[in-house]
Amino acid sequence: MTTPIGITFVENDLDAIAGATGRVAVFVGAEGKLDQLARRVNRLCKGALGRFAASEAFADLKPGEAAALACPAGMEAEAVDVVRLDRKPTREDARKAGATLARRQGKADVLILVGANAGAPDIAFGFAMRAYEFTAHKTEKANPRGAVRVMASTPEQVAAKAGPMAALAEGVFFTRDLVNEPANVLTTDDFAARLAAMQELGLDVEILEEDDLRKLGMGALLGVGQGSESPSKVVVMQWNGGKKNDAPLALVGKGVCFDSGGISLKPALGMEEMTMDMGGAGVVAGVMRTLALRKARANVVGLVGLVENMPSGKAQRPGDVVRSMKGDTIEVINTDAEGRLVLADVLWYAQERFNPAGVIDLATLTGAIIIGLGHEKAGVFSNDDALCNAFLKAAGSECEGAWRMPLGEAYDKALKSQVADMKNTGGRPAGSITAAQFLKRFVKDGCAWIHLDIAGVARVNEETALAPKGATGWGVLSLDRLIADRFEV
Ligand code: BES
Ligand code: MN
Ligand code: ZN
């Protein structure tokens, strides 16, 4: 039985273990007791596994970590990976264990002996998450991975649980691909086309072009894109799997396909990383894909503002004043604080059109959130404790780092403008909070709202527990769980 995550589940078969080529993985709990499959491996390799399980080296392993017994006597395998994992592991440990094996795989075939371990579906999921690679622009498709088999006492049951996880994996991978794509490939047109293609999955996808946005009065968003050759767009994706008249949850994403800073040009060092500045939109797209694939019984609308922030003779200048769809005017002090200008209009449009039950925006909004929280946790800002706590709980159970940050009127004075209703930057102090306060002005009273500043977590320069270096897909799992917990009928 093969799941869409490319892993085959097979029944326990003691006779197959000796002849398995490539790598064989076994799981041993903290107490060092060997299960039936591990005992078989131990017998084949003349007690080496048992000796290792009793050693200090094994005791030093953290849950989910592994050490290899290379070229074990009595087996065909090139190595046995001994993974420390309890029989009833936490979700986090089980996923980590799977990811550990994916990291060690290289090109080899892998036989994973999960037996009766309760974490089996999460082991498979963790493996799939970490096995992701972005090879779209490699001429030589090097390192094709070998086959992955999971040997389990109840393979049908494990596969049945791992199956729905394929929808999650596909959503995460969709987000990662979008975030990893360079900006000459993922233009606003290309991004919109990839979203339009999701109509095949039953999503309703609409693309609003610049003329439409002008008619709607989205002067803040249009100002950001006006220096680029790529046309600005707003894409609306609807999934109506819930009750007919239930107000939807709205997900709003910052989709700056490249952020050069505009006339307030960024320094050259690291500017290439700003291909990821559409990360918020990427997560919204990934969640919508997962919801459609698993036919979620919820009404969710995803809206993304797609623009490119470039300097040119047509670009917006520092000092320009733009009028948002809401009607408020904004003095653009720094053209590099563009994400909030995009979100201001998309947030307002989402509320005006859908009267949503809640709004969650995601954006790679500020460098300041990286100073505050590093690459471990996203910044969470909210005007609604109940929704916020539900999100934090979902993020906790999906092991995606999230930390609530404060909002408060006292921060508003930083946004006072001489010439307009507000300015778009509040200076260096509390840069992530003043950015959130700016967004809050475009959230209607009584509308439950969460702002997720994902600048530190959307893309990382070192691998994380479940992702290789590059795009992580942070947020897809948490938002899907929040929707399942709170919005599904
Ligand atoms: N896209 C950036 C924020 C960012 C920085 C994302 C690093 C990922 C990694 C955003 O548009 C930006 O430039 N923010 C400015 C705001 C400032 C001008 C008020 C920043 O954080 O420096
Ligand atoms: Mn910027
Ligand atoms: Zn930006």
Side-chain angles (χ1 to χ4, degrees):
M1 191 179 303
T2 306
T3 66
I5 45 183
I7 295 175
T8 308
F9 294 88
V10 298
E11 261 168 51
N12 283 356
D13 176 2
L14 294 178
D15 296 332
I17 296 174
T21 54
R23 304 186 81 92
V24 172
V26 289
F27 300 86
V28 182
E31 73 299 333
K33 242 178 84 189
L34 305 185
D35 71 5
Q36 183 199 22
L37 297 174
R39 284 202 303 276
R40 173 67 175 186
V41 171
N42 191 41
R43 248 193 322 276
L44 289 168
C45 65
K46 306 199 165 46
L49 176 59
R51 289 197 297 282
F52 177 70
S55 74
E56 231 168 88
F58 176 76
D60 283 346
L61 294 176
K62 296 198 186 78
E65 288 181 351
L69 303 178
C71 306
M75 294 175 67
E76 291 287 316
E78 65 187 55
V80 172
D81 288 308
V82 186
V83 189
R84 176 165 163 195
L85 193 71
D86 289 337
R87 276 158 201 236
K88 288 190 180 155
T90 63
R91 177 179 294 133
E92 182 170 18
D93 289 346
R95 287 181 181 177
K96 262 191 201 154
T100 296
L101 296 173
R103 199 178 309 113
R104 289 165 163 262
Q105 180 183 13
K107 298 182 185 185
D109 291 339
V110 183
L111 177 62
I112 304 176
L113 306 178
V114 298
N117 192 298
D122 276 305
I123 293 170
F125 184 70
F127 192 106
M129 284 288 105
R130 185 59 185 74
Y132 169 89
E133 278 170 313
F134 184 68
T135 55
H137 306 294
K138 294 277 194 193
T139 309
E140 303 245 338
K141 305 285 179 218
N143 202 15
R145 285 172 181 264
V148 182
R149 286 181 301 155
V150 169
M151 187 181 281
S153 312
T154 54
E156 317 270 325
Q157 271 178 37
V158 177
K161 284 198 188 143
M165 290 182 183
L168 274 173
E170 255 202 61
V172 172
F173 293 173
F174 191 59
T175 302
R176 287 182 185 174
D177 283 350
L178 290 166
V179 172
N180 282 327
E181 280 291 9
N184 62 330
V185 174
L186 194 78
T187 57
T188 56
D189 283 313
D190 184 71
F191 199 152
R194 292 184 194 207
L195 300 181
M198 288 207 290
Q199 296 198 100
E200 281 172 30
L201 304 177
L203 284 161
D204 180 40
V205 183
E206 266 166 84
I207 301 175
L208 306 181
E209 304 288 354
E210 281 185 356
D211 279 344
D212 305 312
L213 305 180
R214 255 188 294 276
K215 279 183 205 134
L216 287 162
M218 293 200 189
L221 182 148
L222 286 167
V224 174
Q226 77 188 30
S228 169
E229 294 292 321
S230 293
S232 300
K233 294 165 197 282
V234 170
V235 182
V236 182
M237 297 161 269
Q238 293 185 64
W239 175 255
N240 293 313
K243 284 214 202 91
K244 195 152 194 301
N245 291 315
D246 275 3
L249 170 69
L251 303 177
V252 172
K254 168 180 172 181
V256 177
C257 291
F258 187 72
D259 180 13
S260 70
I263 296 296
S264 312
L265 194 63
K266 288 181 180 295
L269 188 72
M271 200 204 272
E272 75 284 356
E273 288 184 8
M274 286 302 120
T275 56
M276 55 75 97
D277 209 21
M278 33 51 67
V283 174
V284 171
V287 174
M288 297 310 294
R289 191 176 188 91
T290 292
L291 294 176
L293 285 169
R294 71 174 182 81
K295 307 221 181 306
R297 295 160 62 85
N299 297 335
V300 181
V301 55
L303 304 102
V304 294
L306 306 181
V307 300
E308 187 182 37
N309 188 22
M310 294 293 268
S312 81
K314 285 194 261 168
Q316 138 168 299
R317 291 154 290 252
D320 282 4
V321 174
V322 295
R323 186 180 294 277
S324 66
M325 180 182 172
K326 180 185 174 191
D328 292 356
T329 58
I330 305 162
E331 182 188 6
V332 179
I333 298 293
N334 188 322
T335 65
D336 198 11
E338 84 296 342
R340 62 198 76 182
L341 297 170
V342 173
L343 289 177
D345 278 339
V346 186
L347 279 169
W348 195 255
Y349 177 73
Q351 294 165 89
E352 287 275 284
R353 175 162 170 199
F354 294 103
N355 195 20
V359 178
I360 302 179
D361 77 71
L362 296 106
T364 50
L365 201 64
T366 65
I369 202 69
I370 309 176
I371 303 300
L373 300 175
H375 299 284
E376 311 303 327
K377 292 180 194 290
V380 183
F381 301 81
S382 182
N383 63 0
D384 187 289
D385 290 347
L387 183 62
C388 187
N389 288 335
F391 176 78
L392 291 170
K393 185 169 161 246
S397 74
E398 290 298 333
C399 320
E400 290 184 322
W403 192 260
R404 189 167 183 182
M405 302 283 287
L407 289 163
E409 255 175 48
Y411 295 98
D412 265 346
K413 54 182 175 293
L415 299 173
K416 276 211 181 98
S417 162
Q418 289 287 332
V419 300
D421 297 336
M422 69 191 88
K423 53 185 189 177
N424 78 328
T425 60
R428 274 170 65 83
S432 305
I433 305 175
T434 54
Q437 285 294 136
F438 181 96
L439 297 180
K440 188 166 178 287
R441 293 172 179 229
F442 298 90
V443 177
K444 295 184 179 182
D445 282 340
C447 176
W449 161 69
I450 299 177
H451 157 55
L452 300 170
D453 192 336
I454 61 169
V457 295
R459 184 187 169 286
V460 292
N461 279 324
E462 271 171 74
E463 62 173 304
T464 63
L466 295 188
K469 177 177 146 79
T472 61
W474 184 100
V476 174
L477 303 181
S478 301
L479 288 168
D480 181 72
R481 181 165 293 271
L482 175 75
I483 289 162
D485 286 351
R486 237 183 111 97
F487 293 92
E488 238 166 311
V489 291

